[in-house]
Amino acid sequence: MLKFIRGKGQQPTAERQRLQKELFAYRKTAQHGFPHKPSALAYDPISKLMAIGTQTGAIKVFGQPGVELYAQHTLTNNLASELNVQLLEWVYGSGRILSLTAANQLTLWEPAGTTLVPLKTLPFDGKLKKVSSLCCSINKDLVWIGTEGGNIYQLDLKSFSILEPVIYHDVVLEQVPSTYKLNPGAIESIRQLPNSPNKLLIAYNRGLCVLWDLGESAVERAYVAPGHGQSVGLYVNTKGNEFNWYHADGSYATWNMESENPPQNVNYVPYGPDPCKSINRLFKGKRGISDIIVFSGGMPRSAYGDHNCVSVHASDGHKVCLDFTSKVIDFFVTYKEDSESVQVLIVLLEEELCAYDLTDAKVSSVKAPYLHSVHASAVTCNYLASMVSHEVYERILRAGDEQDLDYSSIDWPITGGVLSEDDVPQSNDNSIEILLTGHEDGSVKFWNCSGVILKPIYNFKTANIFGHDNEDDVPVDSSNDQLDEGEPPFRKAGLFDPYSDDPRLAVKKIALCPTTGQLIVGGTAGQIVIADFQGDQNEHGIFKVMSMNLVSDRDGFVWKGHDQLNVRANLIEKHSLAISENGVNITGVLQVLPPASITCLALEANWGVVSGGTAHGLVLFDFKNFAPVFHRCTLNPNDMTGAGEQLSRRKSFKKSLRESFRKLRKGRSTRNNPSNTVPTTLEARPVERQIEARCTDDGMGSMVRCLLFAKTYITNVNITSPTLWSATNSSTVSVFLLHLPPAMTAATTVPPASGNTTPQSPRRISAQLAKEIQLKHRAPVVGISIFDQTGCPVDQLSAGENGSPPHRVLIASEEQFKVFSLPQLKPINKYKLTANEGARIRRVHFGSFTCRVPHELLQSLNGNSPTKSTRSYEGGDGGHNASISPISNDSELYHEMALICLTNMGDIMVLSVPELKRQLNAAAVRREDINGISSLCFTNSGEALYMMSSSELQRIALATSKVVQPTGVVQIEPLETEDSTVPINEEDDTDNENETNGDGNVIGNGAGMLEPPVAQQRSKPLQLNVDSNVVLTANGLSRGSSPNRANETITSSIGDITVDSVRDHLNTTTTTLCSTTTEETVGRLSVLSTQTNQSTTSVNIKDLPILNIPNLVDITSKSNTNEISTSSVVIKSVITSISHEKTNGESENLKTTNVTTHEESQF
């Protein structure tokens, strides 16, 4: 009882709470990979920016590598069509973009930092006003909107309203030749002539195209396509003297702008004469003196109608038909400056983005710097290697460069945006992080995820090892060879290949040593492939194959699963050398029998051992000598299915009776003495959920869930020994003591040179069972970690280091964390997660958190919290992969290791070690996203990556010291209103307002960008800009899902603003702010008067002392301003007192009576 009361009173001190805010902060930072379900594509040739819209409402803008902007449409009527982006149109050269959704809603977006902000929205109602095409003017002031009804509306971008006149289709029909007597149908394409900005070329659905004079509001010339049905689109050349008109029957023709007569080849069908499908998009240019036509679609309907193709036809006879494996969404062609010379073809497909060099007659592939298809083959596992050494990274890069020899060397044409000067890749070894993705086809892809760009660096394939007798030769990549010489001239294009020859090839587990480059890959059929990045060495060993049987001595066991994979016959010959390709050596294959899927892997390259676990047991293998060490079967002898005791997790009858009597006594004492409020032991205990016993089918109890190599104290407190730890689904933890040769014990990768150069018989590694732990609750163990006194895991220490004693072991099951002492294995601490919160643990990892704190805070921490005295806080480098910037001269570096945990609810928790006190709790992944939760992996620096879709990776940061996020920005042009002197809107439409300082300059935001114009509605919402340096959530997630409510711009739909609502909001902001400061702001706002007439108020705040409160907008920069307001209700706010807490604990009170009158609150 006293122990519980004492523990209940240990609340974190104010200093500890401040340190928590300095160390931990959750945010979504960047996105990697390919957008999920793309639906629209747009390219700005002036700003050199590319935008992609998706069916889920996301808009992503890409410029030069490092410039990425995200946006997200929101639901208003809870309709899926409100999110489906159908069209994107750039306001060329301004940085703004228009989006059209399936709900017929037009939105104007503007860059603001690393996100896109919706400025204005215009809905279209009615079936006849269904928007079918968009065209922005060269002057950036108008957008012509074509509809299904055949009319064209003019949208003014300044007022975002429809202007007169409207180009009605019946007016056009009156001025076309009388021979055309059809209803022209929908507007398919609108093009403004580059040489005559006052003329529009309009293509209607039913074979009619007109040249419209905007000044005269009349048809200047009409073009009728004879014999054609549905028109699809237009392409106008840069000179404006000719255009290409393509149709739904697979034909296209080049028309002269000055002549209404059809060209001679008006019925030209590239892949005729059979009926062909529609040409969906067409571009024309020049390669030298040859004309180039690039178009999508147009395939013969009966023979190749199911092919997804983009064709490149040159007038010199070179023809290529790029045959993709997924649907073509759209494409565009980039040109050289002010010319028709083509450069790069960029194709947006349903599952990938492909680029091709059009300056090369072979149309060779171009490797894009971003938007890589992570799921070219379905992703089956993820592994993140932190602190990869520079030497290993260079080896992987060399191996990957040999695979990229077939790519074109042309420069990437999309170079828009501006990168800040500090966006320089870090070169220190600890900053290199490599993501390894295992795939269904047996390949492992290496990605450099150290920065914003997820860069593919190497593709390791294991399928070449396995096969049949007639597949001795490795298949040659024929991606650049044409499949046939006939028509169409098909060529396989793209990397997306969702089909796998054999499901047993799928990769399940990966292990990579970051210091030696040793690679271990575990597969579905029990195969463990052993490789290393030592391809530059001349000595190649012999390829070896070894098998280890786990259940050979068990009578009655019958394996009913798939067979093992067969290694190719030419590899298992007597003197076959190890496979060495692209600088990678595959030295051998270990086959575990029965051939069940590999469930966990552990690698210790310094010792030369690898351990693998399956549903039947674990094996320990010496890959240096290619010899088995031992195997252990975890199957229950009494039950070959591996199921444990059925009643092992139910409460005992004695315990149930005991608690029942306690409840009866508690209820009787409460009835007799109602005023008695003294808490009993049962009452004071936290409420725990009853955890039902697991059924025998929820998972095999014999399955090995985690393996760990560690050098720790297991025999006595003075000597560390190499050990192997294993844990199963039934909470059985086994500790094996390893006996290594002296060379390996010294943690050296190669044996030391000796005088005797004759080869000696290598000493074999042996192992024996040292200790075994059986957790009573018998939940599956998901992680084991051994850490030293400072909380640093021993497996993250450098070779030869043991850490500061004593060591402790953390055993994390699905339901609880438990810390034991070593070597006694006495329980020290426990944290019940499932019983208290109902969640289950899915993944655990140790992360490094670093910050700079003042000396006073460190002294107070040492005096108040004895448990924190074990932390390291010296001026040197204290953390792994931590980006630290000093904030003042009197601060020191504080480094702390913490436990990061992911639950099945998608929540991420940060716990201190060994106290297991919660430091941070964040809802990171949606609980419905099972794939996202199962794919999440942590880095050593407090970051995480998970699959937010089948093709996208979301990056999140839990530490304040290491945040990888896009910092590139897009410069925008000011969007001036019609009357820029007095920004007053008297109409129902919205206008824009730019605030200026005393010098007349536009006030910028935290990223140095121009402040975006905000749509000002008649009923002004209160906007509280709390933190201008807030990291915007990736993918433009709705503000309601933000982890930090204080970092949002909160708008109210209610016109009247009360004092209580503002006070409550400020109080909430103060209590929930997850920032790096502890300043508290106490404000009292009172409504003094209302006015209904126009007034001009001068504000002078120069006499105020400097306010160092980042939670407020800097009001000193807005001094000496004259503001005009015509709002019907004006709030005059008086700040009566501001309490500013300094770092040394002193507080100063500032009194001011300055009155600020403005149309909206400034903070």
Side-chain angles (χ1 to χ4, degrees):
M1 180 66 182
L2 293 176
K3 179 182 178 182
F4 175 77
I5 295 176
R6 191 183 305 115
K8 192 71 175 177
Q10 289 183 351
Q11 299 296 330
T13 61
E15 292 81 5
R16 179 60 191 173
Q17 292 180 4
R18 179 181 175 183
L19 189 60
Q20 288 177 358
K21 295 178 181 179
E22 298 282 350
L23 285 172
F24 313 106
Y26 165 80
R27 65 194 74 182
K28 291 186 177 180
T29 53
Q31 294 177 6
H32 307 297
F34 185 77
H36 185 53
K37 295 182 179 179
S39 57
L41 176 69
Y43 174 65
D44 185 351
I46 301 177
S47 300
K48 296 188 181 302
L49 295 171
M50 177 179 64
I52 296 177
T54 68
Q55 297 180 21
T56 57
I59 298 178
K60 297 190 175 184
V61 174
F62 297 90
Q64 59 178 304
V67 177
E68 297 182 9
L69 283 75
Y70 308 134
Q72 176 68 38
H73 288 80
T74 55
L75 292 172
T76 55
N77 298 322
N78 202 21
L79 297 175
S81 60
E82 296 176 332
L83 301 179
N84 190 352
V85 180
Q86 290 189 332
L87 284 177
L88 290 174
E89 180 74 12
W90 282 101
V91 183
Y92 296 113
S94 68
R96 299 179 183 87
I97 191 171
L98 284 163
S99 68
L100 176 73
T101 62
N104 216 29
Q105 184 168 298
L106 200 62
T107 305
L108 179 64
W109 302 82
E110 182 179 77
T114 58
T115 188
L116 291 173
V117 178
L119 293 184
K120 302 174 181 180
T121 301
L122 181 66
F124 281 81
D125 299 327
K127 185 177 180 181
L128 295 179
K129 287 188 177 182
K130 174 67 176 175
V131 178
S132 58
S133 61
L134 296 172
C135 178
C136 182
S137 68
I138 300 175
N139 297 330
K140 312 168 191 175
D141 56 348
L142 291 176
V143 173
W144 291 283
I145 303 173
T147 62
E148 298 282 354
N151 302 327
I152 297 179
Y153 300 87
Q154 299 186 66
L155 174 67
D156 184 13
L157 287 176
K158 296 178 180 179
S159 62
F160 217 69
S161 59
I162 301 298
L163 301 180
E164 294 292 339
V166 177
I167 306 176
Y168 293 103
H169 72 280
D170 51 357
V171 176
V172 174
L173 282 179
E174 294 174 356
Q175 306 177 42
V176 299
S178 58
T179 56
Y180 187 86
K181 299 180 180 180
L182 299 175
N183 184 348
I187 303 292
E188 294 296 339
S189 182
I190 307 173
R191 293 291 180 266
Q192 186 181 19
L193 298 190
N195 58 344
S196 300
N198 62 334
K199 295 180 182 179
L200 293 180
L201 192 64
I202 306 169
Y204 292 87
N205 180 269
R206 295 183 177 178
L208 175 65
C209 181
V210 298
L211 184 62
W212 181 266
D213 193 324
L214 293 171
E216 300 293 335
S217 295
V219 175
E220 181 176 325
R221 196 170 288 111
Y223 314 90
V224 179
H228 292 289
Q230 179 182 355
S231 301
V232 177
L234 298 170
Y235 172 77
V236 181
N237 65 349
T238 56
K239 297 180 181 179
N241 57 1
E242 65 179 19
F243 66 94
N244 289 82
W245 194 1
Y246 46 98
H247 305 273
D249 60 355
S251 67
Y252 71 88
T254 302
W255 292 65
N256 188 354
M257 196 77 70
E258 302 298 329
S259 175
E260 295 183 357
N261 299 325
Q264 294 180 355
N265 60 345
V266 69
N267 293 321
Y268 175 65
V269 181
Y271 296 123
D274 295 335
C276 295
K277 301 190 72 174
S278 170
I279 293 180
N280 301 316
R281 182 77 69 187
L282 184 143
F283 283 82
K284 185 178 181 180
K286 287 185 176 297
R287 180 201 295 149
I289 60 175
S290 302
D291 291 334
I292 298 290
I293 293 287
V294 184
F295 61 91
S296 62
M299 289 291 105
R301 188 177 297 273
S302 59
Y304 306 107
D306 57 342
H307 285 237
N308 307 294
C309 299
V310 174
S311 301
V312 181
H313 289 190
S315 59
D316 57 1
H318 288 89
K319 293 183 180 181
V320 176
C321 184
L322 302 172
D323 190 8
F324 297 99
T325 54
S326 58
K327 179 182 176 182
V328 178
I329 303 298
D330 205 348
F331 74 92
F332 63 87
V333 175
T334 64
Y335 299 86
K336 294 182 180 178
E337 294 293 339
D338 300 328
S339 68
E340 294 185 359
S341 300
V342 294
Q343 280 187 315
V344 177
L345 163 66
I346 296 179
V347 186
L348 175 66
L349 303 157
E350 197 172 32
E351 302 292 349
E352 61 182 326
L353 182 88
C354 296
Y356 296 91
D357 184 5
L358 293 180
T359 62
D360 183 7
K362 297 180 180 179
V363 193
S364 55
S365 299
V366 178
K367 193 170 184 178
Y370 38 62
L371 289 173
H372 296 283
S373 179
V374 179
H375 68 311
S377 177
V379 179
T380 53
C381 72
N382 292 333
Y383 177 83
L384 211 157
S386 295
M387 297 185 296
V388 178
S389 66
H390 191 70
E391 181 183 0
V392 172
Y393 182 68
E394 290 296 331
R395 293 180 196 164
I396 300 174
L397 280 184
R398 285 196 297 269
D401 290 341
E402 296 185 21
Q403 293 181 338
D404 297 341
L405 295 178
D406 295 333
Y407 284 100
S408 173
S409 60
I410 192 172
D411 294 334
W412 184 247
I414 303 174
T415 57
V418 179
L419 289 175
S420 58
E421 296 180 356
D422 54 351
D423 293 338
V424 179
Q426 299 179 2
S427 59
N428 54 330
D429 296 347
N430 290 341
S431 67
I432 300 178
E433 294 172 348
I434 296 179
L435 174 69
L436 291 85
T437 56
H439 298 269
E440 192 179 22
D441 61 353
S443 62
V444 177
K445 292 186 178 180
F446 290 67
W447 310 82
N448 183 358
C449 60
S450 303
V452 178
I453 303 298
L454 186 70
K455 179 183 177 182
I457 53 178
Y458 181 67
N459 186 11
F460 176 76
K461 299 178 181 179
T462 62
N464 299 334
I465 306 172
F466 307 99
H468 302 286
D469 295 338
N470 57 352
E471 296 180 356
D472 293 344
D473 296 330
V474 179
V476 180
D477 186 12
S478 59
S479 60
N480 290 331
D481 298 335
Q482 295 190 4
L483 300 183
D484 56 57
E485 299 296 334
E487 286 286 336
F490 287 121
R491 191 176 84 188
K492 183 181 178 181
L495 299 175
F496 180 72
D497 186 8
Y499 307 106
S500 176
D501 297 334
D502 195 334
R504 296 175 296 174
L505 292 171
V507 177
K508 289 299 183 182
K509 295 295 174 181
I510 308 170
L512 174 70
C513 180
T515 56
T516 63
Q518 189 73 40
L519 176 66
I520 308 294
V521 179
T524 303
Q527 72 273 20
I528 298 178
V529 180
I530 302 170
D532 59 66
F533 287 90
Q534 302 286 344
D536 53 348
Q537 297 182 359
N538 296 326
E539 298 181 1
H540 297 308
I542 299 176
F543 186 85
K544 299 178 181 179
V545 179
M546 183 73 66
S547 62
M548 297 180 69
N549 198 325
L550 289 172
V551 293
S552 58
D553 55 344
R554 301 242 169 191
D555 297 331
F557 179 84
V558 179
W559 171 249
K560 299 179 181 179
H562 47 240
D563 295 334
Q564 70 183 65
L565 285 167
N566 297 319
V567 181
R568 287 185 10 234
N570 63 331
L571 294 178
I572 57 178
E573 296 176 356
K574 181 176 291 186
H575 300 291
S576 61
L577 297 177
I579 300 177
S580 179
E581 182 180 357
N582 295 332
V584 180
N585 291 331
I586 303 178
T587 57
V589 175
L590 170 65
Q591 179 65 53
V592 181
L593 298 175
S597 176
I598 301 296
T599 58
C600 56
L601 276 179
L603 169 67
E604 183 52 72
N606 294 324
W607 303 344
V609 291
V610 61
S611 179
T614 68
H616 308 106
L618 70 145
V619 296
L620 181 63
F621 188 72
D622 179 6
F623 63 83
K624 291 290 186 182
N625 302 314
F626 219 82
V629 179
F630 86 100
H631 66 273
R632 178 181 175 85
C633 183
T634 55
L635 287 173
N636 188 348
N638 300 325
D639 186 3
M640 284 300 172
T641 64
E645 302 176 16
Q646 296 186 9
L647 299 178
S648 61
R649 301 179 67 247
R650 292 191 185 277
K651 295 181 178 179
S652 64
F653 182 68
K654 183 187 297 183
K655 185 176 181 181
S656 300
L657 281 178
R658 186 184 302 116
E659 292 192 0
S660 299
F661 280 112
R662 285 177 178 172
K663 291 179 181 179
L664 288 174
R665 286 197 298 268
K666 171 179 174 293
R668 189 181 302 114
S669 62
T670 304
R671 288 193 301 267
N672 296 336
N673 189 7
S675 61
N676 185 13
T677 58
V678 178
T680 62
T681 305
L682 186 63
E683 184 180 2
R685 178 180 298 172
V687 178
E688 294 187 3
R689 290 170 171 80
Q690 180 181 1
I691 304 174
E692 299 294 336
R694 298 172 183 265
C695 64
T696 58
D697 298 331
D698 68 344
M700 300 177 63
S702 61
M703 179 182 295
V704 181
R705 289 293 296 270
C706 58
L707 293 166
L708 173 70
F709 286 108
K711 194 172 184 181
T712 184
Y713 304 94
I714 196 62
T715 55
N716 56 61
V717 296
N718 299 320
I719 303 175
T720 58
S721 305
T723 58
L724 169 65
W725 297 67
S726 71
T728 66
N729 260 349
S730 58
S731 284
T732 301
V733 180
S734 304
V735 187
F736 301 95
L737 184 63
L738 306 183
H739 301 282
L740 304 178
M744 294 185 181
T745 306
T748 56
T749 56
V750 294
S754 59
N756 186 8
T757 58
T758 58
Q760 299 179 355
S761 59
R763 178 180 172 183
R764 298 297 182 184
I765 301 175
S766 61
Q768 66 181 32
L769 180 64
K771 296 183 179 181
E772 197 163 30
I773 307 171
Q774 178 62 59
L775 302 181
K776 292 182 179 180
H777 64 296
R778 292 185 180 271
V781 177
V782 297
I784 299 176
S785 184
I786 298 174
F787 55 93
D788 62 1
Q789 187 182 16
T790 63
C792 182
V794 295
D795 56 341
Q796 294 185 14
L797 297 173
S798 302
E801 296 183 6
N802 296 325
S804 56
H807 286 186
R808 296 183 176 93
V809 59
L810 170 75
I811 299 178
S813 69
E814 283 190 356
E815 298 176 2
Q816 69 178 22
F817 301 98
K818 202 163 186 178
V819 179
F820 297 88
S821 64
L822 287 175
Q824 297 86 1
L825 288 179
K826 292 183 179 180
I828 296 177
N829 204 355
K830 181 167 61 174
Y831 185 94
K832 292 184 178 180
L833 181 68
T834 305
N836 295 331
E837 302 181 18
R840 297 184 186 274
I841 303 167
R842 283 291 175 258
R843 186 163 280 103
V844 293
H845 193 81
F846 274 81
S848 173
F849 299 87
T850 310
C851 68
R852 285 195 176 272
V853 294
H855 296 294
E856 297 82 1
L857 184 58
L858 290 178
Q859 294 174 0
S860 60
L861 285 172
N862 291 335
N864 296 335
S865 180
T867 58
K868 295 299 175 186
S869 61
T870 59
R871 307 283 180 253
S872 60
Y873 42 89
E874 60 272 359
D877 187 10
H880 302 293
N881 285 356
S883 301
I884 305 166
S885 58
I887 54 177
S888 62
N889 296 329
D890 59 347
S891 61
E892 292 186 8
L893 192 65
Y894 181 88
H895 169 231
E896 181 172 320
M897 299 296 296
L899 175 66
I900 312 173
C901 158
L902 171 71
T903 70
N904 65 335
M905 299 294 185
D907 298 337
I908 292 181
M909 295 189 304
V910 179
L911 303 175
S912 62
V913 286
E915 302 91 349
L916 297 181
K917 300 292 184 182
R918 183 178 301 185
Q919 309 296 311
L920 179 70
N921 190 12
V925 191
R926 292 181 298 109
R927 64 178 62 186
E928 300 86 5
D929 189 2
I930 300 176
N931 292 330
I933 295 174
S934 61
S935 63
L936 189 141
C937 46
F938 294 103
T939 70
N940 291 354
S941 56
E943 288 188 295
L945 288 167
Y946 70 90
M947 301 287 295
M948 61 183 295
S949 67
S950 61
S951 58
E952 281 178 296
L953 286 162
Q954 174 68 62
R955 192 184 195 107
I956 60 178
L958 302 171
T960 58
S961 58
K962 179 69 179 296
V963 178
V964 176
Q965 61 183 350
T967 55
V969 295
V970 175
Q971 294 180 346
I972 58 176
E973 294 182 357
L975 185 61
E976 298 179 356
T977 58
E978 296 179 358
D979 189 2
S980 60
T981 56
V982 182
I984 300 173
N985 186 17
E986 298 180 356
E987 302 291 337
D988 288 343
D989 298 327
T990 59
D991 68 348
N992 299 280
E993 179 182 273
N994 286 329
E995 296 180 1
T996 59
N997 58 15
D999 297 331
N1001 297 325
V1002 181
I1003 299 171
N1005 57 15
M1009 294 294 301
L1010 297 177
E1011 184 168 333
V1014 182
Q1016 307 286 345
Q1017 302 292 340
R1018 172 171 290 186
S1019 176
K1020 272 287 185 179
L1022 173 67
Q1023 297 189 351
L1024 300 179
N1025 297 325
V1026 180
D1027 190 357
S1028 61
N1029 295 324
V1030 60
V1031 178
L1032 296 164
T1033 58
N1035 202 12
L1037 292 176
S1038 59
R1039 296 185 175 99
S1041 62
S1042 173
N1044 185 4
R1045 300 287 302 192
N1047 289 342
E1048 304 168 3
T1049 300
I1050 302 174
T1051 61
S1052 173
S1053 59
I1054 303 174
D1056 296 333
I1057 303 170
T1058 63
V1059 179
D1060 294 335
S1061 64
V1062 176
R1063 183 186 297 116
D1064 293 342
H1065 173 78
L1066 290 178
N1067 291 338
T1068 306
T1069 302
T1070 304
T1071 55
T1072 63
L1073 187 60
C1074 241
S1075 63
T1076 59
T1077 60
T1078 56
E1079 291 85 353
E1080 296 179 358
T1081 303
V1082 180
R1084 188 183 312 144
L1085 304 179
S1086 59
V1087 178
L1088 296 183
S1089 64
T1090 63
Q1091 72 180 40
T1092 57
N1093 58 342
Q1094 181 173 335
S1095 65
T1096 303
T1097 305
S1098 298
V1099 182
N1100 188 356
I1101 321 180
K1102 278 191 173 181
D1103 55 342
L1104 279 181
I1106 297 176
L1107 302 179
N1108 186 17
I1109 305 178
N1111 293 340
L1112 296 178
V1113 171
D1114 189 3
I1115 60 178
T1116 60
S1117 64
K1118 296 186 173 70
S1119 60
N1120 296 331
T1121 61
N1122 296 326
E1123 300 177 358
I1124 301 175
S1125 173
T1126 58
S1127 178
S1128 59
V1129 177
V1130 179
I1131 297 180
K1132 295 183 178 181
S1133 57
V1134 180
I1135 304 177
T1136 57
S1137 66
I1138 298 177
S1139 175
H1140 174 214
E1141 181 181 351
K1142 292 184 176 180
T1143 55
N1144 57 4
E1146 300 177 358
S1147 62
E1148 60 179 0
N1149 293 325
L1150 307 177
K1151 291 189 178 292
T1152 176
T1153 57
N1154 291 14
V1155 178
T1156 302
T1157 303
H1158 190 261
E1159 198 172 353
E1160 58 177 331
S1161 177
Q1162 292 294 318
F1163 45 94

